[in-house]
Amino acid sequence: MRSDRLGESLLPKRYALPIFASDPLSSVAYATQEILIVLTLAGTAFLYLAPWLAAAVVVLLVTVVLSYRQVVRAYPSGGGDYEVAMKNHGPAAGLVVGSALLVDYVLTVAVSVSAGTDNIISAFPSLNDDRVLIAVVLVAVLAAANLRGLRESGRAFALPTYLFVSGILVMLVTGFIRYFFTPGGLVAESSGYSITPEPGYSDLAGLALVLLALRAFASGCTALTGVEAIANGVPAFRPPKGRNAATTLALMGGIAATMFAGVTALALLADVKYTEFTCDLVGFAGDCETDPQRTVIAQLAAAVFGGDGSLGFYVIQTATALILILAANTAFNGFPLLGSVLAQDRFMPRQLHTRGDKLAYSNGILLLAGFAVLLIVAFDASVSRLIQLYIIGVFTSFTIGQWGMVRHWNRELGLTGDGQDRRRMRRSQAINFVGGTLTSVVLVIIVVTKFTHGAWLVLVSMPVLIVLMKAISKHYSHVAQQLVPDTDSRTLPSKVHAVVLVSKVHKPTLRALAFARATRPDQLTALTVNVDDEDTRALQADWERYDIPCALTVVESPYREITRPVLDYVTAIRRESPRELVVVFVPQYVVGHWWENVLHNQSALRLRARLQFQPGVMITTVPWQLESSVGRDDGDAQGLGPAPGDLRRGLTDDEVESTPMAEGPADRRRRPDRARAPGRPRPTGGWGGPAPSSR
Amino acid sequence: MRSDRLGESLLPKRYALPIFASDPLSSVAYATQEILIVLTLAGTAFLYLAPWLAAAVVVLLVTVVLSYRQVVRAYPSGGGDYEVAMKNHGPAAGLVVGSALLVDYVLTVAVSVSAGTDNIISAFPSLNDDRVLIAVVLVAVLAAANLRGLRESGRAFALPTYLFVSGILVMLVTGFIRYFFTPGGLVAESSGYSITPEPGYSDLAGLALVLLALRAFASGCTALTGVEAIANGVPAFRPPKGRNAATTLALMGGIAATMFAGVTALALLADVKYTEFTCDLVGFAGDCETDPQRTVIAQLAAAVFGGDGSLGFYVIQTATALILILAANTAFNGFPLLGSVLAQDRFMPRQLHTRGDKLAYSNGILLLAGFAVLLIVAFDASVSRLIQLYIIGVFTSFTIGQWGMVRHWNRELGLTGDGQDRRRMRRSQAINFVGGTLTSVVLVIIVVTKFTHGAWLVLVSMPVLIVLMKAISKHYSHVAQQLVPDTDSRTLPSKVHAVVLVSKVHKPTLRALAFARATRPDQLTALTVNVDDEDTRALQADWERYDIPCALTVVESPYREITRPVLDYVTAIRRESPRELVVVFVPQYVVGHWWENVLHNQSALRLRARLQFQPGVMITTVPWQLESSVGRDDGDAQGLGPAPGDLRRGLTDDEVESTPMAEGPADRRRRPDRARAPGRPRPTGGWGGPAPSSR
């Protein structure tokens, strides 16, 4: 029955779409406006280019979507471009993609939140002075929510996404109707303005003009950001995962293309003006130094639904702001996934790979939020300035991924002779080839046109990340070399010498002694450190009184210090007989409140820290649970709460909540047949008999 | 030979004096001026009272010194007033003294540093604006020095102290000569000023006058602060400790009395004016709003040695500033001592008792410095305002201590019949009785006259401290009750089930397995958590390849989490056979650099944290030393560096530096005959044979 539950809990397309599409769809909210911003640098002269540039972007979008349909089918494990690059170009390329994606996650947060802020401000212009503050607060809220274990859920995403999509579509339809069939037509608030070209941009021609057009096109390419999301989320789809993911991709692509094209068209028809520098707008209502321009979306909504007061306007603005914030949130969920994939390849701390380590995730979230805030503050939460950094990473991974797919098909073609398949593969390869070529060209364009506008920052930080990841994997492999087994490491120690640390004769000590004796060591020493003569004498008296079946050894501590004498004692044993194994039993209190630790255990901890540098010494802590500790193991809650990215992994709510003691076989991908529910050892062979004595 | 070294390293009187007397002697630097400050509230009218008040203070000082000579003889263990109160009045009184002393240490730092700052400013008036800053920086420097393990040494103290004493004495002699034998006489820079009484203080009479006099007297009593220091440092003296300490006390008392009397006399002769509010000084040279008055010491030095430029002036100022800072430093050394005494009685975290825990000391130092800075900032580093808080604590412990001694002698008298002794004891008791009476009276005076001037702060914080200490000891005794041994805690577990955690087949794992087998458990399970199928399959393959003589058990982890499945597995075993002892072997990397821990061990740590809540489970960490860890155990340095207060404990440089492997018997007090150098187990009985099997 669990497997059923599991089946259910995997994502049907209607939920998968909003979850993975919120990021790419949301970019519709700013893509058009980014094209205008660049073109209007030269006044209104070259606005006629806008449609063509938009068309180019749409073509590109469609190509990339088609290419990714190949990726999701070929690599359903959710590794996305990174996996493709790794498998087909090797680690170097993989690292480039990895670093590109890391940078992108930061920028997704920064850009989406800033754009969201813009649209909030468009609805409530008075907030303009607090732009940066609002953006930072939004990031903080997202980070906090994800730290607390905010659970992604299809439903939560569905509403705003579908609201946004339908809202925009309704707006477009109404808009076109008004434009063509109503006398007044459709007039944006900024249609009356004229634009003074920036110095040096007036009457451009030749190369300069081409460059301007390319820059505008590059900016428009932000419409493609987030397309790769689905490729990283295939595991969350219902089987047949590959096909469902591909369908969803197509759906998403179609919607995105329509909306982008529509918004751009409508903006041009309504004669929307949007410039980088507000003061270039001649006739701008309000003080161009302080007052903001309203986003293209806001201007259209106002024009279509009749003024700011209108319900439609507020609906659109709300939906837009919401989906942009959702888009930012996807980064918080995507990052841990990437982290765990990178960790699996030892490019990142390995605890990122396991679910258990909330700490690692928390740090990831904090880093993500931290850098996003840094960028937001550094760039005054200006979308158009942040965009310059954004697209580089995106297209880097696009390009490498696509070329990787081309190789992939070559290899595949090498293996299969079947004509049917080969034709299919050739077609796929062709698609990826086109995709690869286009994205490469765009990447070049971006680097050339955006470098001086901030892209350099990304081109600097990516290598830094790569070096870091290389260093980490180097460390791991270096360690791995040290750890290759040799005969020496398998030889059994000749004898076992148990040393039980005694401070007082009380339950913990007695338990430690009992446990130590239960392990039947060759030698058993009860060791105490004489810190205070009276105490020690009292201890010795008790020792007699309880006549404990093992002599008490007292070592002196002139400096009222515990660690050192024990250490010396142990090293002395080791020196006398190096092949002897020393097991140090440390009774330790387990307390319930953090402050109790201030009153206990310090020495035990310090001792362990020091002893571990001694080869051939084992430290055994014998925990004694104080009353206050009962029922204090809140580890469960921590251990099993939802973690960011679970949904995208296909670990959805029900499953995350179900206890691991639950029965039955489960999702094949993660639980092959030999799977057992944890806690229930496999019957056969799991229980080794007593190991042969070493003598 | 070590014992000789030890003998040497105990303090000869010539070094003991500066170390313990810097605090009491330094108070000469401000006592006189505190009397003047109060008297001059009523203008110059009642300055004639000054000599009488000073005389009263001297009498008090002598009495207290005499009383303490009894204490050091009767309680040579260095517990001081706290011990006296504990032994003769019981815990309640002990706690009062304890809290009083804690408060005093904070105020010693605040007052001494502020006074030091005053004298620095008297030499360099331009620094006046940064008064508070300077004081805070001085505290910070002292704290830092003590955190780094600044070592008190007799020599370091000797120079400034003797310089100060001799400097002041020379100044006095020269001063008197000039006054009596030179035509011009001795004229302080402030002699010309007249003083306008504060509103409400003009022409006082009757009770009001008495109150003023009493207030002035109470302020003058600061001359006694620090007298108790020697009583807490007896262990550091050479035997016969008691007698030597007593002699040093007498010496200190004599010097202090002389200096205080002399300075006061000379100040009055030179007609020094010093007021609380500078603007009450009519004819004050400079802006009374901003410019500081110079300390009485500074004014005298200038008058005696001829102006600011003179060498003598600078010598005096330097010596005064130095000894005041030394006095502050004594608090940093005295505090840990008090802490360890309180810890021994379980009123404070017990790790304060042992030398090992640097952390505990560091926290103590930081707390001390923190509160001192708080006070300095709150009271603008004004000595005369801080004084109000200071003396209460001092006289509280004086009083309780003296009355405790009276009881002590009663008890002693009860025991001995010998006439000779009885007479001696009677005399001692009489002295303590007088001391007790006087100090009680003064305490009342202080509380009455100072309460509204800030003393209330102390009278509030002492109870808080008492409650805190009570709570701590309550916690300890509560725990102690839980731990009283019963038969149950001694029963041996029926069987031992060893569980070795396996992640990979590498040296650490093999070592862990070898060690686990060496302990010959009844059952041995090699347990791995299936986080990633590929990894697990690889592991199983290796397992076969190295044909490891123990089957590998795989538990599933649907959520790619390690802790939980292991936990469930262990609890399952416990559930099946509760009397079985489970030993979990955790291979653990030992790394050399902190950042390496970011890349390793996380799961091991978390696992231990969770497992310890399971009764009947032992966690055995099998450390594997990575190359980077070799020679990285800097614990030694930490473990044996000098700690604050060592000198006062009689643990001086040589001894602190000597390694514990050194030979021979040592100071009887801390090392009775049965003492051995650590690391060398006593030959007899220390080695228990193999414990009897539990079946």
Side-chain angles (χ1 to χ4, degrees):
Chain A
M1 66 159 279
R2 180 186 181 185
S3 46
D4 313 350
R5 281 230 319 288
L6 191 69
E8 266 176 28
S9 68
L10 283 175
L11 291 173
K13 290 195 274 310
R14 68 178 182 289
Y15 285 140
L17 180 68
I19 287 183
F20 295 109
S22 61
D23 181 4
L25 292 182
S26 68
S27 47
V28 170
Y30 44 81
T32 305
Q33 145 181 337
E34 291 308 318
I35 295 180
L36 295 181
I37 282 184
V38 179
L39 287 181
T40 51
L41 285 171
T44 51
F46 304 108
L47 277 178
Y48 68 85
L49 290 172
W52 305 103
L53 299 177
V57 171
V58 171
V59 172
L60 188 62
L61 175 60
V62 173
T63 331
V64 170
V65 167
L66 289 176
S67 318
Y68 270 105
R69 282 166 55 84
Q70 312 307 323
V71 176
V72 294
R73 286 221 195 75
Y75 294 90
S77 59
D81 288 324
Y82 172 78
E83 188 180 356
V84 177
M86 268 299 190
K87 294 232 169 101
N88 299 295
H89 294 302
L95 277 181
V96 177
V97 174
S99 60
L101 289 175
L102 286 174
V103 172
D104 267 5
Y105 280 125
V106 176
L107 281 153
T108 307
V109 177
V111 169
S112 306
V113 165
S114 303
T117 313
D118 278 348
N119 281 287
I120 294 174
I121 290 173
S122 300
F124 309 99
S126 60
L127 297 175
N128 187 43
D129 304 343
D130 306 325
R131 175 182 302 273
V132 174
L133 179 65
I134 295 172
V136 170
V137 169
L138 284 175
V139 175
V141 171
L142 284 174
N146 283 287
L147 283 175
R148 299 268 299 96
L150 168 78
R151 173 181 307 144
E152 275 191 310
S153 88
R155 289 168 193 73
F157 270 76
L159 178 66
T161 312
Y162 288 126
L163 184 68
F164 176 71
V165 173
S166 49
I168 295 290
L169 293 179
V170 170
M171 181 179 80
L172 292 176
V173 175
T174 336
F176 286 118
I177 292 172
R178 285 194 64 163
Y179 180 80
F180 290 111
F181 304 108
T182 62
L186 188 71
V187 184
E189 59 194 60
S190 58
S191 61
Y193 308 160
S194 61
I195 304 173
T196 47
E198 281 289 294
Y201 283 93
S202 40
D203 46 56
L204 294 174
L207 186 59
L209 178 51
V210 174
L211 218 62
L212 183 73
L214 289 180
R215 249 181 83 190
F217 169 71
S219 291
C221 290
T222 47
L224 278 72
T225 53
V227 170
E228 76 285 358
I230 290 182
N232 302 329
V234 188
F237 282 85
R238 284 195 185 158
K241 294 173 179 297
R243 174 122 52 75
N244 284 330
T247 322
T248 316
L249 246 168
L251 213 63
M252 183 273 285
I255 300 175
T258 320
M259 287 168 67
F260 172 68
V263 169
T264 315
L266 204 62
L268 294 169
L269 295 179
D271 200 7
V272 172
K273 305 281 195 324
Y274 201 94
T275 56
E276 181 165 8
F277 308 100
T278 315
C279 287
D280 293 347
L281 286 173
V282 182
F284 177 70
D287 177 353
C288 67
E289 295 295 343
T290 60
D291 298 351
Q293 303 173 65
R294 300 210 297 178
T295 61
V296 170
I297 296 286
Q299 293 192 34
L300 287 180
V304 171
F305 298 113
D308 308 5
S310 66
L311 176 65
F313 172 78
Y314 283 112
V315 172
I316 295 288
Q317 288 314 102
T318 318
T320 312
L322 274 179
I323 198 172
L324 282 164
I325 290 161
L326 278 187
N329 189 53
T330 55
F332 283 99
N333 288 281
F335 177 81
L337 251 72
L338 177 59
S340 83
V341 177
L342 287 170
Q344 195 162 8
D345 296 344
R346 295 282 185 263
F347 290 126
M348 284 213 164
R350 72 165 64 112
Q351 58 266 30
L352 281 172
H353 181 44
T354 63
R355 255 290 312 277
D357 200 323
K358 279 263 185 263
L359 188 66
Y361 279 10
S362 312
N363 295 340
I365 291 173
L366 289 176
L367 278 176
L368 189 59
F371 280 113
V373 166
L374 216 66
L375 286 174
I376 289 174
V377 172
F379 292 89
D380 312 325
S382 149
V383 177
S384 48
R385 288 173 62 196
L386 287 166
I387 288 290
Q388 320 292 333
L389 288 63
Y390 197 8
I391 34 186
I392 285 209
V394 180
F395 276 84
T396 310
S397 51
F398 280 171
T399 312
I400 299 180
Q402 297 311 321
W403 288 121
M405 285 306 289
V406 174
R407 278 205 182 181
H408 165 83
W409 295 123
N410 275 339
R411 213 177 41 255
E412 294 289 312
L413 284 164
L415 302 175
T416 43
D418 175 344
Q420 176 72 32
D421 286 1
R422 294 185 67 82
R423 258 191 306 293
R424 199 175 44 66
M425 292 183 181
R426 286 235 174 278
R427 203 182 323 111
S428 305
Q429 188 173 35
I431 296 173
N432 289 123
F433 181 83
V434 177
T437 327
L438 282 190
T439 48
S440 320
V441 174
V442 176
L443 182 57
V444 174
I445 294 175
I446 294 171
V447 173
V448 172
T449 57
K450 301 297 186 190
F451 186 82
T452 53
H453 298 87
W456 62 269
L457 199 57
V458 177
L459 295 175
V460 168
S461 45
M462 273 172 57
V464 173
L465 283 168
I466 293 172
V467 169
L468 182 66
M469 293 192 279
K470 273 220 169 99
I472 291 177
S473 81
K474 189 145 159 294
H475 170 83
Y476 276 126
S477 54
H478 175 62
V479 168
Q481 288 160 15
Q482 294 180 43
L483 302 184
V484 177
D486 50 14
T487 51
D488 168 46
S489 56
R490 305 187 61 172
T491 49
L492 293 183
S494 62
K495 292 164 66 195
V496 178
H497 185 159
V499 177
V500 181
L501 296 185
V502 177
S503 59
K504 266 194 165 58
V505 177
H506 53 27
K507 285 177 177 169
T509 306
L510 293 177
R511 175 186 276 182
L513 268 169
F515 284 8
R517 289 176 56 208
T519 65
R520 294 189 288 296
D522 303 285
Q523 288 183 321
L524 177 64
T525 309
L527 188 73
T528 190
V529 178
N530 175 29
V531 168
D532 178 282
D533 287 341
E534 272 180 42
D535 299 355
T536 309
R537 267 188 291 275
L539 169 61
Q540 287 171 311
D542 285 350
W543 203 259
E544 304 307 328
R545 195 148 54 78
Y546 287 91
D547 66 277
I548 294 161
C550 146
L552 176 66
T553 307
V554 180
V555 290
E556 294 302 326
S557 171
Y559 314 119
R560 311 237 305 274
E561 194 218 8
I562 292 172
T563 315
R564 182 57 185 265
V566 175
L567 213 59
D568 293 327
Y569 183 85
V570 171
T571 32
I573 299 175
R574 291 281 305 165
R575 208 179 301 108
E576 283 168 24
S577 48
R579 285 208 54 224
E580 194 164 306
L581 169 62
V582 182
V583 188
V584 182
F585 289 81
V586 186
Q588 184 163 3
Y589 297 116
V590 182
V591 294
H593 315 96
W594 63 267
W595 53 263
E596 288 179 286
N597 276 316
V598 177
L599 304 175
H600 300 289
N601 286 341
Q602 309 298 333
S603 44
L605 291 172
R606 201 168 43 259
L607 189 60
R608 201 163 48 211
R610 296 283 305 278
L611 279 171
Q612 66 181 3
F613 286 94
Q614 302 288 334
V617 175
M618 291 199 298
I619 306 101
T620 300
T621 48
V622 185
W624 177 273
Q625 294 77 15
L626 288 173
E627 286 165 5
S628 63
S629 75
V630 174
R632 273 291 178 152
D633 179 10
D634 55 355
D636 287 17
Q638 292 167 13
L640 279 185
D646 281 347
L647 192 62
R648 290 143 190 277
R649 281 209 184 96
L651 299 171
T652 39
D653 310 356
D654 320 54
E655 195 184 4
V656 170
E657 278 157 1
S658 69
T659 90
M661 294 301 294
E663 300 294 326
D667 167 10
R668 288 285 169 280
R669 187 175 58 76
R670 275 174 294 93
R671 295 191 207 63
D673 288 326
R674 56 181 182 65
R676 290 261 159 311
R680 295 179 45 244
R682 91 159 29 77
T684 65
W687 310 79
S693 160
S694 55
R695 316 211 194 93
Chain B
M1 67 160 277
R2 181 185 179 184
S3 48
D4 313 350
R5 281 229 319 288
L6 191 69
E8 266 176 28
S9 69
L10 283 174
L11 291 173
K13 290 196 276 307
R14 69 177 180 289
Y15 285 141
L17 181 67
I19 285 184
F20 295 109
S22 61
D23 181 3
L25 292 182
S26 68
S27 46
V28 169
Y30 44 82
T32 305
Q33 139 183 342
E34 290 308 317
I35 296 182
L36 294 181
I37 282 183
V38 179
L39 287 180
T40 51
L41 285 171
T44 51
F46 304 109
L47 277 179
Y48 68 84
L49 290 173
W52 305 105
L53 299 177
V57 171
V58 170
V59 172
L60 189 62
L61 175 59
V62 173
T63 331
V64 170
V65 167
L66 290 175
S67 318
Y68 269 106
R69 282 166 55 87
Q70 313 306 322
V71 177
V72 294
R73 285 219 197 77
Y75 294 91
S77 60
D81 287 324
Y82 172 78
E83 188 180 358
V84 176
M86 268 297 190
K87 294 233 169 101
N88 299 295
H89 295 302
L95 277 181
V96 176
V97 174
S99 60
L101 290 175
L102 286 175
V103 172
D104 267 4
Y105 279 126
V106 176
L107 280 152
T108 307
V109 177
V111 169
S112 306
V113 166
S114 303
T117 312
D118 278 348
N119 281 288
I120 294 172
I121 289 174
S122 299
F124 308 99
S126 60
L127 298 175
N128 187 43
D129 304 343
D130 305 325
R131 172 183 305 274
V132 174
L133 179 65
I134 296 174
V136 171
V137 169
L138 284 175
V139 175
V141 171
L142 283 174
N146 282 285
L147 283 174
R148 298 270 299 97
L150 167 80
R151 173 180 304 143
E152 275 192 308
S153 89
R155 288 167 195 71
F157 270 76
L159 177 66
T161 311
Y162 286 125
L163 184 68
F164 176 72
V165 173
S166 49
I168 295 290
L169 292 180
V170 170
M171 179 179 83
L172 293 177
V173 174
T174 336
F176 286 118
I177 292 173
R178 284 193 64 162
Y179 180 79
F180 291 111
F181 303 108
T182 61
L186 187 71
V187 183
E189 60 195 57
S190 58
S191 60
Y193 307 161
S194 63
I195 303 173
T196 46
E198 280 289 294
Y201 284 92
S202 41
D203 46 57
L204 293 174
L207 186 60
L209 178 52
V210 175
L211 217 62
L212 183 74
L214 289 179
R215 250 181 82 191
F217 169 70
S219 290
C221 291
T222 47
L224 277 72
T225 53
V227 170
E228 75 285 358
I230 290 183
N232 302 327
V234 188
F237 282 84
R238 284 197 186 157
K241 294 174 178 298
R243 174 122 51 75
N244 284 330
T247 323
T248 317
L249 246 168
L251 212 63
M252 184 272 286
I255 300 174
T258 322
M259 288 167 67
F260 171 68
V263 169
T264 315
L266 203 62
L268 293 169
L269 295 179
D271 199 7
V272 172
K273 305 281 194 325
Y274 200 93
T275 57
E276 182 166 9
F277 308 99
T278 315
C279 288
D280 292 346
L281 287 173
V282 181
F284 176 71
D287 177 354
C288 70
E289 295 294 344
T290 59
D291 297 351
Q293 303 175 63
R294 299 209 299 179
T295 60
V296 169
I297 296 286
Q299 293 192 36
L300 288 181
V304 170
F305 298 112
D308 310 2
S310 66
L311 174 66
F313 172 79
Y314 283 112
V315 172
I316 294 287
Q317 287 314 101
T318 316
T320 312
L322 273 180
I323 198 171
L324 282 164
I325 290 162
L326 278 187
N329 190 53
T330 57
F332 283 98
N333 287 282
F335 178 81
L337 251 73
L338 177 60
S340 85
V341 177
L342 287 169
Q344 194 163 9
D345 296 345
R346 294 282 182 262
F347 289 126
M348 285 212 163
R350 73 165 65 114
Q351 57 267 30
L352 281 172
H353 181 45
T354 63
R355 254 293 308 278
D357 201 322
K358 279 265 185 251
L359 188 66
Y361 279 9
S362 312
N363 295 339
I365 291 173
L366 289 176
L367 278 176
L368 188 59
F371 280 113
V373 166
L374 217 66
L375 285 175
I376 289 174
V377 172
F379 292 88
D380 312 326
S382 148
V383 177
S384 50
R385 289 174 62 195
L386 286 166
I387 287 289
Q388 320 291 330
L389 288 63
Y390 196 8
I391 34 188
I392 286 208
V394 180
F395 275 85
T396 310
S397 50
F398 280 172
T399 312
I400 299 180
Q402 296 313 321
W403 287 120
M405 285 305 290
V406 174
R407 278 205 181 182
H408 166 82
W409 293 124
N410 275 337
R411 213 175 43 258
E412 293 289 312
L413 284 164
L415 303 176
T416 43
D418 175 341
Q420 175 72 35
D421 286 2
R422 294 183 67 80
R423 253 189 311 291
R424 198 177 43 66
M425 293 184 181
R426 287 232 172 279
R427 202 181 324 109
S428 305
Q429 188 174 34
I431 296 174
N432 288 123
F433 181 83
V434 177
T437 327
L438 281 189
T439 49
S440 319
V441 174
V442 176
L443 182 58
V444 174
I445 294 176
I446 293 169
V447 173
V448 172
T449 58
K450 300 299 185 190
F451 186 82
T452 53
H453 299 85
W456 62 269
L457 198 58
V458 177
L459 295 174
V460 168
S461 44
M462 272 172 56
V464 173
L465 282 167
I466 292 172
V467 169
L468 182 66
M469 293 193 279
K470 273 216 167 102
I472 291 177
S473 80
K474 189 146 158 294
H475 171 82
Y476 276 126
S477 55
H478 175 63
V479 168
Q481 286 160 16
Q482 294 179 44
L483 302 185
V484 177
D486 51 14
T487 52
D488 168 47
S489 55
R490 306 186 61 172
T491 51
L492 293 184
S494 61
K495 290 164 67 195
V496 179
H497 185 160
V499 176
V500 181
L501 297 186
V502 176
S503 59
K504 268 195 163 61
V505 177
H506 52 28
K507 286 177 179 170
T509 306
L510 294 178
R511 174 187 277 183
L513 267 169
F515 284 8
R517 290 175 57 208
T519 65
R520 293 188 289 294
D522 303 285
Q523 288 183 322
L524 178 64
T525 309
L527 187 73
T528 190
V529 178
N530 175 28
V531 167
D532 178 281
D533 287 341
E534 271 180 44
D535 298 356
T536 309
R537 268 188 290 275
L539 168 61
Q540 286 172 312
D542 285 350
W543 203 261
E544 306 306 330
R545 194 150 54 79
Y546 286 93
D547 67 273
I548 294 160
C550 146
L552 176 67
T553 306
V554 180
V555 290
E556 293 303 327
S557 171
Y559 313 119
R560 314 236 308 272
E561 193 220 6
I562 292 172
T563 314
R564 183 55 185 266
V566 175
L567 213 59
D568 293 327
Y569 183 84
V570 170
T571 31
I573 299 175
R574 291 280 306 163
R575 209 180 299 107
E576 283 168 24
S577 48
R579 284 206 56 223
E580 194 165 306
L581 169 62
V582 181
V583 189
V584 181
F585 289 82
V586 187
Q588 186 163 2
Y589 298 115
V590 181
V591 295
H593 316 96
W594 64 266
W595 53 264
E596 287 179 287
N597 275 317
V598 177
L599 303 175
H600 300 291
N601 288 339
Q602 307 298 332
S603 44
L605 291 172
R606 202 166 44 257
L607 190 59
R608 202 164 44 210
R610 296 283 306 279
L611 279 172
Q612 66 181 3
F613 286 94
Q614 302 287 333
V617 175
M618 291 198 297
I619 306 101
T620 299
T621 49
V622 185
W624 177 273
Q625 294 77 15
L626 288 173
E627 286 166 5
S628 63
S629 73
V630 174
R632 272 289 179 156
D633 179 12
D634 54 356
D636 287 19
Q638 291 166 13
L640 280 186
D646 280 347
L647 191 62
R648 289 142 192 278
R649 282 211 182 93
L651 299 171
T652 39
D653 310 356
D654 321 55
E655 196 184 3
V656 170
E657 278 156 1
S658 70
T659 91
M661 292 304 292
E663 300 294 327
D667 166 10
R668 287 283 169 282
R669 187 174 59 75
R670 273 172 295 92
R671 294 190 209 64
D673 286 327
R674 55 182 183 64
R676 290 260 160 312
R680 292 176 51 240
R682 84 158 36 74
T684 64
W687 309 77
S693 161
S694 55
R695 313 209 195 94

